Amino acid sequence: MDGDKGNILVNESNLDRPFVGQVVLITGGSRGIGRAIALRFARGGADVVVNYLRHRGAAEETVSELLSLGVQAEAVRADVSDPADLDLLFAAVKDRFGRLDVFVSNAALGVLRPALELEVKHWQKTLDVMGRAMLLGAQRAVPLMEGRWGRIIAISSIGSFRVLPNYVGPGVAKAILETLTRYLAVELAPKGISVNAVSGGVIETDALEAFPNKHDMLTFGKRAPAGRLGRPDDIAGVVTLLCRPEARWICGQTIIADGGYSLLV
């Protein structure tokens, strides 16, 4: 570190593995985008904590792959919509590593229905898993980032500002994430912590199976100027880019990575 609090010097020894010695926590990290983010960080030398809720087998497989890359890794089961579970999750990070460099709020949940068909329980759970979980997670992450360049990244989607069929619950929750990103960025910047978000278009994951209009989503997604659907690693690459020292001056931004899809719809 140099005289700038929490600054990480860029030198030739860490250009290929810029995250050596750092600890990353990813909620919803066992599959899809979360798994891709975990692998990206591990290839960069970071130790990774993979949070999951239901998919234990997938979490264990992801951890096994991370370990094969020569880093430390652990899977921790926790429901991020439950404050008590979040306490246990961050306690596990502290007990194992004693610190945290990057917190990625990726866990997502949402019932895909028109607004007039949503039940209160669906609405509340969606907001809790995404919006509230990021807020409460940040509150728990900051003390573990003391004296370090901390980074908090939210995973959003273009449904936060584009109206997508049946996406009202997740769309509103993602909009909350992006607004919270801006507020946290201003509040935490004096502490040496960067907060940003990454927003994707139609990403080719298992989550597409839940869309009642899956065929339309696939068709629309392929209309992106890039000529294909997004892949989990497309999002993961932007997340790790925001966590490299060269991105230190990016603060409170939502970076759209959708192959140009949102420019056309």
Side-chain angles (χ1 to χ4, degrees):
M1 291 188 180
D2 65 11
D4 184 7
K5 178 183 177 182
N7 192 33
I8 298 175
L9 294 175
V10 180
N11 56 57
E12 292 182 1
S13 66
N14 65 14
L15 286 177
D16 292 332
R17 288 170 62 82
F19 307 117
V20 170
Q22 299 185 41
V23 178
V24 179
L25 167 61
I26 304 161
T27 63
S30 64
R31 305 184 305 153
I33 293 172
R35 176 180 176 276
I37 294 170
L39 290 170
R40 276 270 186 169
F41 273 114
R43 293 187 189 108
D47 299 322
V48 182
V49 177
V50 173
N51 159 250
Y52 73 98
L53 180 58
R54 291 186 296 271
H55 302 282
R56 179 177 178 178
E60 291 175 345
E61 289 178 9
T62 297
V63 166
S64 178
E65 190 165 356
L66 296 173
L67 292 172
S68 73
L69 295 171
V71 301
Q72 298 184 66
E74 181 176 351
V76 179
R77 184 182 185 277
D79 180 353
V80 298
S81 70
D82 183 342
D85 266 22
L86 276 175
D87 285 339
L88 294 174
L89 173 59
F90 282 88
V93 174
K94 183 177 181 180
D95 291 346
R96 176 72 183 269
F97 297 104
R99 66 192 189 282
L100 182 63
D101 295 273
V102 180
F103 167 46
V104 181
S105 187
N106 169 70
L109 176 72
V111 174
L112 298 170
R113 294 183 182 178
L116 298 184
E117 296 178 15
L118 277 179
E119 298 178 26
V120 171
K121 63 181 180 181
H122 300 148
W123 175 259
Q124 192 61 55
K125 188 69 172 181
T126 302
L127 298 185
D128 288 349
V129 167
M130 289 187 268
R132 189 174 75 171
M134 181 184 174
L135 173 63
L136 299 184
Q139 291 172 348
R140 289 154 176 77
V142 168
L144 297 176
M145 296 175 173
E146 185 70 31
R148 317 177 69 77
W149 174 35
R151 284 138 289 170
I152 297 174
I153 306 290
I155 303 303
S156 187
S157 79
I158 62 172
S160 67
F161 63 92
R162 296 284 188 185
V163 175
L164 306 176
N166 304 305
Y167 200 71
V168 58
V172 170
K174 295 296 191 183
I176 290 173
L177 276 181
E178 294 181 15
T179 301
L180 183 57
T181 292
R182 293 189 287 273
Y183 276 89
L184 285 174
V186 171
E187 184 171 339
L188 298 182
K191 297 180 181 292
I193 297 172
S194 299
V195 186
N196 291 289
V198 178
S199 175
V202 182
I203 307 296
E204 198 168 9
T205 69
D206 292 343
L208 282 177
E209 299 297 329
F211 281 80
N213 58 327
K214 174 189 171 184
H215 177 74
D216 292 337
M217 295 293 289
L218 292 173
T219 300
F220 294 153
K222 291 177 181 176
R223 291 177 183 171
R228 62 169 174 82
L229 295 176
R231 300 171 184 135
D233 196 56
D234 293 326
I235 304 302
V238 181
V239 171
T240 52
L241 178 66
L242 287 171
C243 293
R244 294 179 66 101
E246 298 91 331
R248 180 69 179 266
W249 204 235
I250 300 175
C251 177
Q253 303 302 306
T254 296
I255 307 300
I256 298 175
D258 66 353
Y261 174 82
S262 58
L263 300 176
L264 304 179
V265 296

